[in-house]
Each structure stands twice: as C-alpha cells, then as structure tokens.
Amino acid sequence: MAGSNSGAAASGQGNVLLWRGLLLITLLGGWEAYGRLVSEAWFSRPMLIFARILTWAGDGLGGHVAITLAEMLAGLAIGIPLGTVFGLVLGRLPVAAGILRPIIFGLYSIPLVTLAPLFIFWFGLGLTPKIVLVAIVTFFLLFFTTFAGVQTIDREMIDSFRLLGASRREMLRKLIGPACLAWILSGIKVALPYSLIAAVVGEMLLARAGLGYLLMQASQQIDMTGMFAALFVLMAAGVAIGETVNFIERRALRWRNL
Amino acid sequence: MAHQLIELKDISKSFQREQTIIAALSPVNLAVRREEFVAFVGPSGCGKSTILNMVAGLLPPTTGQLSYDGAPVRDLNRRVGYMTQKDTLLPWRNVADNIGAPLELACHKTGKTGRMDKIRQMVELVGLKGFEKHFPGELSGGMRRRVALARMLIYDPETLLMDEPFGALDAQLKLVMHDEIQRIVSLGHKTVLFVTHDLSEAIALADRVVVFSSRPGQIKIVRDIDLPRPRDVFRIRFSPRFTELHEELWDELKDEVKKGTDT
C-alpha cells in the first residue's frame, strides 16, 4: 500500500527509522540502567539476556527453534489447505453450511489450551500433539476467512462466469479461488502467529524440546534471564513470520494496489 | 423458417420485496428472428435488462413462456454471450488474460497458441493494443467495457446480449465501436439484443427498435428501421430518413422519460 517512491516520502521514512532506533535504544538503555542500579532479580537486564541468547546459540538453541518451527510448518501444511478447501466448498453450498454451522461453531468455541492435555494422551509426548493443535487452530482461521470471502463475491460475476460455460470445478479454480485470494492470505496472516502460539502452548504443557519447553524450564528454575531470553527469541520469530507474510501478500496481490 | 430464434409470449416479471410485490415488467410479446438486431430503449427500470436476464436463463419469468430456438429456456442459455451492465472482469487478471478467459474453459477449450492468436485479434478489434498487460483497475471505464466486449466475442456465441455496452465511451469511440459491432454482427451472422439509453445509437445499429414505457415496463411501440445496410455509422445521422425515424421515436420516448423523472 505504501507507495513510497517520492523523495519526500523517502526522507520521511528515514526519519521514522531514526526515531524507532532512538526509542529502542532508550527503552533498552533504561531497562539496563534499572537492572544495574536498582535490582535485576525480577527483570534481569538486556545485556544478560543477550549474553544468554548467545550462550544458547552455541548450545542447542537452533535445535529448539527448529523443533518449534517444524511443528508450526507441519500443522500449517495440514490446517491451511484443509481450511481453505472447506471454506471454498461450503461457501458455495449454503444448505450444507447451514446444517454444519452449530457443529463448526461448537468445536471452534473450545479454548485451544484445554485441548492440549487430550492430544497429549492421544498422541504422546513427541511433535504430533503440537502439530495437531496447530492444524486445528489454523484450520478454523482459514475456514472462517475463506468462507466469508466466498460470500463477498458478486452475484453477477458468478452468473457471467457460469454463462461463459464454466463447470463447478472451473468456477472454484478460476473465479471463487482467486477472488478469495485476498481473504485466504489475510487468513494465513492471522494463522501464522497463531500457529506459533499453538505450538508453544503445546510445548509448555509437556515437551522435551522447543521454545515453549525452553521457557518452561527457565520458569521452573525461576531463571529470569532465561525466561526473557526465550521470550526475545519468540518475539524475533514472530516478527520474522509477520514480515514473511507481508512480503508474500504484496507480491500475490499486486493488482489490488493499483 | 419454422420458428423465431427468441420468442417471448406474455412474459412478465415481478419481484417480491418483503410484503410488497413489485411488477417490473407487464406481460410483453416479442419475437426475434435469427440474425436480427433488436434494440431496446426506454427509461431506466422499465425491465429491459430483466428481459436480457431471462433470455440468458439467469432469471425465470413470473408468467408466460420464453423459448430460444424452439425450446423453452429452463436453465442457463449458453448459446448467448452476455455483456452485463455491471463490470464482471476479473480484477486479478490482466487485459489479455481476461479476454482469453472463456477459451480456458473446457467447453471452449483452445490450445495456448490458438488462444494467443485469438486474444491478439480481439485486442486489436477493440483497440486496446499496448494495454494487454494492464489490470482492469488501471483502465478507464470505457476501456473496461471494450475488454468485456472482447471477452464476449472471443468465443463466438450465436446471440449477443448487450446491456448498455457503450454507455461509458466518448462520442468518437462510440462511433468506432458501432462500426465494429455492425461488421462483426453481419460477418458472424449474429442475433443481437441491445439495451441502450441512446436513441441515435439504437436507430443507427438496429433492424428494429423497441420502445418501452416506464415501470411496470411494457412495450410501447416496435419500429422497423428501414435504413439500408451496410450503414455508414459515421454519417447516417445526417440522412433525412434517420432524422424522421429519430423524431418519430423520440416523440414516443420523451413522455416516458418525463414520467420516469417525475416519480
């Protein structure tokens, strides 16, 4: 959306970046000073946290990140396509959607965390229960956004495409699907951070590896520096995910920004 | 010939909005011959577009019988190409891919090279050379209408339904398009139902002009346009016969237009 190609906009952007940097330095500096001068018992301080992250980096942090990432990706790989297809198909079948509505809303109303113990019983301690959690959360997000997207498609657009001779399949592939692309992408945009939450929540309950496990371990040892270190890594992961999605969205929806 | 291509027998249409029933079209009778060009003029909301929707099979008539080529229209009528008043281009496809869209469907399947050739022909026909890679959002209203026209013509349907196809075009371009349409229709032996607000356009193009009266719409007069073909659309307006027809039909139309603005 931000078509910043004029000189004024570019220098405005430069100023924003400068102010962001200053704000960040001030916040971290203030925190560091508070930790050194007053107490670091409950808040640790940035230098210690970054030192810990560096230590971890040489000692298996990559492995934990990889585990969490693997759970996310596997769950997303199931949840996104399933949710999208269900949304597209049920979106075109109002009667079936009406019948299934209470079931779908009932299942969706169950809070995520409460499902975790069940999945641990069913699927054990490995990656599977977390993958299932991620898949369920992202399935619903994609289902609801895609379903809503189908409802917004113009009636005349559908009619004119049918008159051209499109079969049901062609209609889905060439009209409904692409028309919902913006909705699907916004669903994915929401689903990605949620997939991180789902994976980490699963790991916090019971796991042998992953970022959630790292966080729980630190918390059980009342290791503030460790907890903040884990949180910082999670934040970095979240930001990286968000930027990836923005990038994909900008490329896929070029026609929208014209 | 045994039967007319399109036959409307006592066709009427009413819509229900909550408790009230709104009559959009009083019973009309009309028969359209094969290869005939029929123009509908009349105030807005007089059911002209409703008739096109019914011929396309998108809307069932409330009463009466509608047949196409001797058979009643029950489902979608895929022998017609329909250029609706509203823009139905796919916003995520560029001009060339929008025009070629019908040929990607199984029922008009064309190989990639054949498709490219036809797209190029159509782009040239509607005067959009150089805009092939543009998205609909980058085009003016008139250009989008021309893309829609090309998309309809590319798969060569035998009957063309056009709902104010050139309303958004400037006067000069309109004449150029009239010339093209006239050529396409006579070369392709097309039957055409053409809705317009522009009486001159209707007379210049059509074999018959149907004047509708305002809501609930009904046919007020049907006039044969006996101007010889092929017509020079750029000059026909200056011929005495054209002026006569225009005056005669305008007399019929102006009362309806006034009535339309009173309510």
Short mmCIF file of all heavy atoms in Angstrom, two decimals, chain B residues 47-91:
data_model
loop_
_atom_site.label_atom_id
_atom_site.label_comp_id
_atom_site.label_asym_id
_atom_site.label_seq_id
_atom_site.Cartn_x
_atom_site.Cartn_y
_atom_site.Cartn_z
N GLY B 47 -37.47 -2.65 -17.21
CA GLY B 47 -37.43 -4.10 -17.45
C GLY B 47 -36.64 -4.54 -18.66
O GLY B 47 -36.68 -5.71 -19.01
N LYS B 48 -35.89 -3.61 -19.28
CA LYS B 48 -35.10 -4.01 -20.44
C LYS B 48 -34.05 -5.05 -20.06
O LYS B 48 -33.90 -6.09 -20.70
CB LYS B 48 -34.38 -2.79 -21.06
CG LYS B 48 -35.30 -1.67 -21.49
CD LYS B 48 -34.50 -0.44 -21.91
CE LYS B 48 -33.61 0.04 -20.81
NZ LYS B 48 -33.68 1.38 -20.35
N SER B 49 -33.32 -4.73 -18.99
CA SER B 49 -32.28 -5.66 -18.55
C SER B 49 -32.88 -6.97 -18.06
O SER B 49 -32.28 -8.04 -18.21
CB SER B 49 -31.44 -5.05 -17.43
OG SER B 49 -30.97 -3.80 -17.81
N THR B 50 -34.07 -6.87 -17.48
CA THR B 50 -34.75 -8.07 -17.00
C THR B 50 -34.98 -9.05 -18.15
O THR B 50 -34.81 -10.26 -17.98
CB THR B 50 -36.11 -7.69 -16.35
OG1 THR B 50 -35.87 -6.65 -15.42
CG2 THR B 50 -36.74 -8.87 -15.68
N ILE B 51 -35.35 -8.50 -19.30
CA ILE B 51 -35.57 -9.38 -20.46
C ILE B 51 -34.27 -10.08 -20.85
O ILE B 51 -34.25 -11.29 -21.10
CB ILE B 51 -36.16 -8.58 -21.64
CG1 ILE B 51 -37.56 -8.11 -21.27
CG2 ILE B 51 -36.19 -9.44 -22.90
CD1 ILE B 51 -38.27 -7.35 -22.38
N LEU B 52 -33.17 -9.32 -20.86
CA LEU B 52 -31.89 -9.96 -21.20
C LEU B 52 -31.57 -11.07 -20.20
O LEU B 52 -31.13 -12.15 -20.58
CB LEU B 52 -30.76 -8.93 -21.21
CG LEU B 52 -30.80 -7.80 -22.24
CD1 LEU B 52 -29.43 -7.17 -22.39
CD2 LEU B 52 -31.28 -8.29 -23.59
N ASN B 53 -31.77 -10.79 -18.91
CA ASN B 53 -31.50 -11.81 -17.90
C ASN B 53 -32.35 -13.06 -18.13
O ASN B 53 -31.88 -14.18 -17.91
CB ASN B 53 -31.79 -11.26 -16.50
CG ASN B 53 -30.66 -10.40 -15.98
OD1 ASN B 53 -29.50 -10.59 -16.37
ND2 ASN B 53 -30.98 -9.45 -15.14
N MET B 54 -33.57 -12.87 -18.56
CA MET B 54 -34.45 -14.02 -18.79
C MET B 54 -34.00 -14.79 -20.02
O MET B 54 -34.01 -16.02 -20.02
CB MET B 54 -35.91 -13.56 -18.90
CG MET B 54 -36.44 -13.05 -17.57
SD MET B 54 -38.23 -12.82 -17.50
CE MET B 54 -38.47 -11.38 -18.48
N VAL B 55 -33.62 -14.08 -21.07
CA VAL B 55 -33.15 -14.77 -22.28
C VAL B 55 -31.88 -15.56 -21.98
O VAL B 55 -31.66 -16.65 -22.52
CB VAL B 55 -32.92 -13.77 -23.44
CG1 VAL B 55 -32.28 -14.45 -24.63
CG2 VAL B 55 -34.23 -13.11 -23.85
N ALA B 56 -31.05 -15.01 -21.08
CA ALA B 56 -29.82 -15.72 -20.71
C ALA B 56 -30.10 -16.89 -19.76
O ALA B 56 -29.20 -17.67 -19.47
CB ALA B 56 -28.85 -14.75 -20.04
N GLY B 57 -31.34 -16.97 -19.28
CA GLY B 57 -31.68 -18.06 -18.37
C GLY B 57 -31.24 -17.81 -16.94
O GLY B 57 -31.21 -18.72 -16.13
N LEU B 58 -30.90 -16.57 -16.63
CA LEU B 58 -30.45 -16.26 -15.27
C LEU B 58 -31.63 -16.00 -14.35
O LEU B 58 -31.51 -16.04 -13.14
CB LEU B 58 -29.56 -15.02 -15.28
CG LEU B 58 -28.20 -15.17 -15.96
CD1 LEU B 58 -27.52 -13.81 -16.11
CD2 LEU B 58 -27.31 -16.11 -15.17
N LEU B 59 -32.79 -15.70 -14.96
CA LEU B 59 -33.95 -15.27 -14.19
C LEU B 59 -35.17 -15.90 -14.84
O LEU B 59 -35.37 -15.73 -16.04
CB LEU B 59 -34.01 -13.73 -14.30
CG LEU B 59 -34.72 -12.90 -13.28
CD1 LEU B 59 -34.02 -13.04 -11.95
CD2 LEU B 59 -34.69 -11.44 -13.73
N PRO B 60 -35.99 -16.64 -14.09
CA PRO B 60 -37.18 -17.21 -14.72
C PRO B 60 -38.28 -16.16 -14.80
O PRO B 60 -38.41 -15.33 -13.90
CB PRO B 60 -37.57 -18.33 -13.76
CG PRO B 60 -37.03 -17.91 -12.44
CD PRO B 60 -35.85 -17.02 -12.68
N PRO B 61 -39.07 -16.15 -15.88
CA PRO B 61 -40.19 -15.21 -15.94
C PRO B 61 -41.25 -15.60 -14.91
O PRO B 61 -41.38 -16.78 -14.57
CB PRO B 61 -40.73 -15.37 -17.37
CG PRO B 61 -40.16 -16.64 -17.88
CD PRO B 61 -38.94 -16.96 -17.09
N THR B 62 -41.97 -14.61 -14.41
CA THR B 62 -43.04 -14.89 -13.44
C THR B 62 -44.22 -15.55 -14.16
O THR B 62 -44.79 -16.52 -13.67
CB THR B 62 -43.51 -13.60 -12.75
OG1 THR B 62 -42.35 -12.93 -12.26
CG2 THR B 62 -44.44 -13.90 -11.60
N THR B 63 -44.58 -15.01 -15.31
CA THR B 63 -45.60 -15.66 -16.11
C THR B 63 -45.14 -15.69 -17.56
O THR B 63 -44.22 -14.97 -17.93
CB THR B 63 -46.94 -14.89 -16.09
OG1 THR B 63 -46.71 -13.61 -16.70
CG2 THR B 63 -47.46 -14.70 -14.69
N GLY B 64 -45.81 -16.51 -18.36
CA GLY B 64 -45.53 -16.54 -19.79
C GLY B 64 -44.49 -17.57 -20.17
O GLY B 64 -43.97 -18.29 -19.32
N GLN B 65 -44.25 -17.63 -21.49
CA GLN B 65 -43.31 -18.61 -21.99
C GLN B 65 -42.21 -17.94 -22.77
O GLN B 65 -42.47 -17.06 -23.60
CB GLN B 65 -44.04 -19.59 -22.91
CG GLN B 65 -44.81 -20.63 -22.13
CD GLN B 65 -45.77 -21.38 -23.01
OE1 GLN B 65 -46.00 -21.01 -24.17
NE2 GLN B 65 -46.33 -22.44 -22.47
N LEU B 66 -41.01 -18.39 -22.50
CA LEU B 66 -39.85 -17.84 -23.20
C LEU B 66 -39.15 -19.00 -23.89
O LEU B 66 -38.78 -19.98 -23.25
CB LEU B 66 -38.91 -17.19 -22.18
CG LEU B 66 -37.56 -16.74 -22.69
CD1 LEU B 66 -37.72 -15.66 -23.74
CD2 LEU B 66 -36.72 -16.21 -21.54
N SER B 67 -39.03 -18.91 -25.20
CA SER B 67 -38.31 -20.00 -25.86
C SER B 67 -37.17 -19.46 -26.69
O SER B 67 -37.19 -18.32 -27.17
CB SER B 67 -39.26 -20.85 -26.70
OG SER B 67 -39.92 -20.03 -27.63
N TYR B 68 -36.17 -20.30 -26.80
CA TYR B 68 -34.99 -19.97 -27.58
C TYR B 68 -34.78 -21.10 -28.56
O TYR B 68 -34.69 -22.26 -28.17
CB TYR B 68 -33.77 -19.82 -26.66
CG TYR B 68 -32.53 -19.35 -27.39
CD1 TYR B 68 -32.22 -18.01 -27.48
CD2 TYR B 68 -31.70 -20.27 -28.02
CE1 TYR B 68 -31.10 -17.58 -28.16
CE2 TYR B 68 -30.58 -19.85 -28.72
CZ TYR B 68 -30.29 -18.50 -28.79
OH TYR B 68 -29.19 -18.07 -29.48
N ASP B 69 -34.77 -20.77 -29.84
CA ASP B 69 -34.59 -21.75 -30.90
C ASP B 69 -35.60 -22.90 -30.75
O ASP B 69 -35.27 -24.07 -30.87
CB ASP B 69 -33.16 -22.31 -30.87
CG ASP B 69 -32.78 -22.91 -32.23
OD1 ASP B 69 -33.59 -22.79 -33.17
OD2 ASP B 69 -31.70 -23.52 -32.33
N GLY B 70 -36.84 -22.53 -30.43
CA GLY B 70 -37.90 -23.52 -30.38
C GLY B 70 -38.05 -24.26 -29.06
O GLY B 70 -39.05 -24.92 -28.84
N ALA B 71 -37.06 -24.15 -28.16
CA ALA B 71 -37.14 -24.88 -26.90
C ALA B 71 -37.26 -23.88 -25.75
O ALA B 71 -36.64 -22.81 -25.79
CB ALA B 71 -35.89 -25.73 -26.70
N PRO B 72 -38.07 -24.21 -24.73
CA PRO B 72 -38.21 -23.29 -23.61
C PRO B 72 -36.87 -23.11 -22.88
O PRO B 72 -36.10 -24.06 -22.74
CB PRO B 72 -39.24 -23.95 -22.71
CG PRO B 72 -39.34 -25.36 -23.16
CD PRO B 72 -38.92 -25.40 -24.60
N VAL B 73 -36.61 -21.89 -22.42
CA VAL B 73 -35.38 -21.62 -21.66
C VAL B 73 -35.64 -22.02 -20.22
O VAL B 73 -36.45 -21.41 -19.54
CB VAL B 73 -35.01 -20.13 -21.75
CG1 VAL B 73 -33.78 -19.84 -20.89
CG2 VAL B 73 -34.77 -19.73 -23.19
N ARG B 74 -34.96 -23.07 -19.77
CA ARG B 74 -35.16 -23.53 -18.40
C ARG B 74 -33.94 -23.25 -17.54
O ARG B 74 -34.03 -22.85 -16.41
CB ARG B 74 -35.45 -25.03 -18.39
CG ARG B 74 -36.82 -25.34 -18.93
CD ARG B 74 -37.52 -26.45 -18.16
NE ARG B 74 -38.83 -26.71 -18.75
CZ ARG B 74 -39.00 -27.38 -19.88
NH1 ARG B 74 -37.95 -27.89 -20.52
NH2 ARG B 74 -40.20 -27.57 -20.38
N ASP B 75 -32.79 -23.52 -18.12
CA ASP B 75 -31.55 -23.36 -17.37
C ASP B 75 -30.76 -22.26 -18.05
O ASP B 75 -31.27 -21.55 -18.90
CB ASP B 75 -30.81 -24.71 -17.39
CG ASP B 75 -29.83 -24.80 -16.25
OD1 ASP B 75 -29.72 -23.82 -15.50
OD2 ASP B 75 -29.18 -25.84 -16.12
N LEU B 76 -29.49 -22.16 -17.68
CA LEU B 76 -28.64 -21.17 -18.33
C LEU B 76 -28.64 -21.39 -19.84
O LEU B 76 -28.56 -22.53 -20.31
CB LEU B 76 -27.20 -21.34 -17.84
CG LEU B 76 -26.92 -20.79 -16.47
CD1 LEU B 76 -25.44 -20.96 -16.18
CD2 LEU B 76 -27.31 -19.34 -16.40
N ASN B 77 -28.71 -20.32 -20.56
CA ASN B 77 -28.72 -20.40 -22.02
C ASN B 77 -27.31 -20.09 -22.52
O ASN B 77 -26.93 -18.94 -22.66
CB ASN B 77 -29.73 -19.40 -22.56
CG ASN B 77 -29.81 -19.45 -24.07
OD1 ASN B 77 -29.10 -20.21 -24.71
ND2 ASN B 77 -30.67 -18.61 -24.62
N ARG B 78 -26.55 -21.14 -22.77
CA ARG B 78 -25.14 -20.92 -23.09
C ARG B 78 -24.89 -20.62 -24.55
O ARG B 78 -23.75 -20.52 -24.97
CB ARG B 78 -24.33 -22.14 -22.65
CG ARG B 78 -24.27 -22.18 -21.15
CD ARG B 78 -23.22 -23.08 -20.63
NE ARG B 78 -23.11 -22.88 -19.20
CZ ARG B 78 -22.79 -23.84 -18.34
NH1 ARG B 78 -22.51 -25.04 -18.79
NH2 ARG B 78 -22.70 -23.58 -17.07
N ARG B 79 -25.97 -20.49 -25.31
CA ARG B 79 -25.76 -20.10 -26.70
C ARG B 79 -25.72 -18.59 -26.84
O ARG B 79 -25.51 -18.06 -27.91
CB ARG B 79 -26.86 -20.71 -27.57
CG ARG B 79 -26.62 -22.23 -27.73
CD ARG B 79 -27.84 -22.93 -28.21
NE ARG B 79 -28.14 -22.55 -29.59
CZ ARG B 79 -29.22 -23.01 -30.25
NH1 ARG B 79 -30.06 -23.82 -29.65
NH2 ARG B 79 -29.44 -22.64 -31.49
N VAL B 80 -25.94 -17.90 -25.74
CA VAL B 80 -25.83 -16.45 -25.78
C VAL B 80 -24.55 -15.98 -25.10
O VAL B 80 -24.03 -16.65 -24.20
CB VAL B 80 -27.03 -15.76 -25.09
CG1 VAL B 80 -28.34 -16.26 -25.65
CG2 VAL B 80 -26.98 -15.96 -23.58
N GLY B 81 -24.03 -14.88 -25.57
CA GLY B 81 -22.97 -14.18 -24.87
C GLY B 81 -23.60 -12.96 -24.24
O GLY B 81 -24.43 -12.30 -24.86
N TYR B 82 -23.27 -12.68 -22.98
CA TYR B 82 -23.97 -11.62 -22.27
C TYR B 82 -22.96 -10.61 -21.75
O TYR B 82 -22.09 -10.93 -20.96
CB TYR B 82 -24.75 -12.23 -21.10
CG TYR B 82 -25.76 -11.31 -20.43
CD1 TYR B 82 -26.55 -11.79 -19.38
CD2 TYR B 82 -25.93 -10.00 -20.84
CE1 TYR B 82 -27.48 -10.98 -18.75
CE2 TYR B 82 -26.86 -9.17 -20.22
CZ TYR B 82 -27.62 -9.66 -19.18
OH TYR B 82 -28.55 -8.86 -18.56
N MET B 83 -23.11 -9.39 -22.22
CA MET B 83 -22.28 -8.32 -21.70
C MET B 83 -23.15 -7.50 -20.77
O MET B 83 -23.97 -6.70 -21.19
CB MET B 83 -21.79 -7.47 -22.87
CG MET B 83 -20.80 -6.42 -22.49
SD MET B 83 -20.18 -5.65 -23.99
CE MET B 83 -19.50 -4.17 -23.28
N THR B 84 -23.02 -7.76 -19.47
CA THR B 84 -23.91 -7.12 -18.49
C THR B 84 -23.53 -5.65 -18.31
O THR B 84 -22.45 -5.22 -18.68
CB THR B 84 -23.82 -7.82 -17.13
OG1 THR B 84 -22.45 -7.91 -16.78
CG2 THR B 84 -24.44 -9.19 -17.18
N GLN B 85 -24.46 -4.94 -17.69
CA GLN B 85 -24.23 -3.52 -17.45
C GLN B 85 -23.10 -3.35 -16.45
O GLN B 85 -22.30 -2.44 -16.57
CB GLN B 85 -25.52 -2.92 -16.90
CG GLN B 85 -25.62 -1.45 -17.11
CD GLN B 85 -26.98 -0.96 -16.64
OE1 GLN B 85 -27.91 -1.71 -16.46
NE2 GLN B 85 -27.08 0.33 -16.44
N LYS B 86 -23.07 -4.26 -15.49
CA LYS B 86 -22.05 -4.18 -14.46
C LYS B 86 -20.78 -4.83 -14.96
O LYS B 86 -20.81 -5.75 -15.75
CB LYS B 86 -22.56 -4.91 -13.21
CG LYS B 86 -22.00 -4.37 -11.94
CD LYS B 86 -22.92 -4.79 -10.82
CE LYS B 86 -22.20 -4.90 -9.51
NZ LYS B 86 -23.05 -5.61 -8.55
N ASP B 87 -19.70 -4.33 -14.45
CA ASP B 87 -18.39 -4.83 -14.84
C ASP B 87 -18.15 -6.21 -14.21
O ASP B 87 -18.23 -6.35 -13.00
CB ASP B 87 -17.36 -3.85 -14.28
CG ASP B 87 -16.06 -3.95 -15.02
OD1 ASP B 87 -15.79 -5.03 -15.57
OD2 ASP B 87 -15.33 -2.96 -15.05
N THR B 88 -17.92 -7.22 -15.03
CA THR B 88 -17.65 -8.53 -14.44
C THR B 88 -16.28 -9.05 -14.84
O THR B 88 -16.05 -10.24 -14.89
CB THR B 88 -18.73 -9.57 -14.85
OG1 THR B 88 -18.73 -9.65 -16.27
CG2 THR B 88 -20.09 -9.18 -14.35
N LEU B 89 -15.36 -8.13 -15.13
CA LEU B 89 -13.99 -8.56 -15.43
C LEU B 89 -13.34 -9.08 -14.15
O LEU B 89 -13.71 -8.69 -13.05
CB LEU B 89 -13.18 -7.39 -15.98
CG LEU B 89 -13.71 -6.79 -17.28
CD1 LEU B 89 -12.87 -5.59 -17.67
CD2 LEU B 89 -13.69 -7.83 -18.38
N LEU B 90 -12.37 -9.96 -14.31
CA LEU B 90 -11.66 -10.48 -13.15
C LEU B 90 -10.52 -9.51 -12.81
O LEU B 90 -9.60 -9.34 -13.59
CB LEU B 90 -11.08 -11.87 -13.46
CG LEU B 90 -12.09 -12.89 -14.00
CD1 LEU B 90 -11.42 -14.19 -14.36
CD2 LEU B 90 -13.21 -13.11 -12.99
N PRO B 91 -10.61 -8.86 -11.65
CA PRO B 91 -9.65 -7.79 -11.35
C PRO B 91 -8.21 -8.27 -11.20
O PRO B 91 -7.29 -7.48 -11.30
CB PRO B 91 -10.16 -7.20 -10.04
CG PRO B 91 -11.11 -8.19 -9.49
CD PRO B 91 -11.64 -9.00 -10.62
#
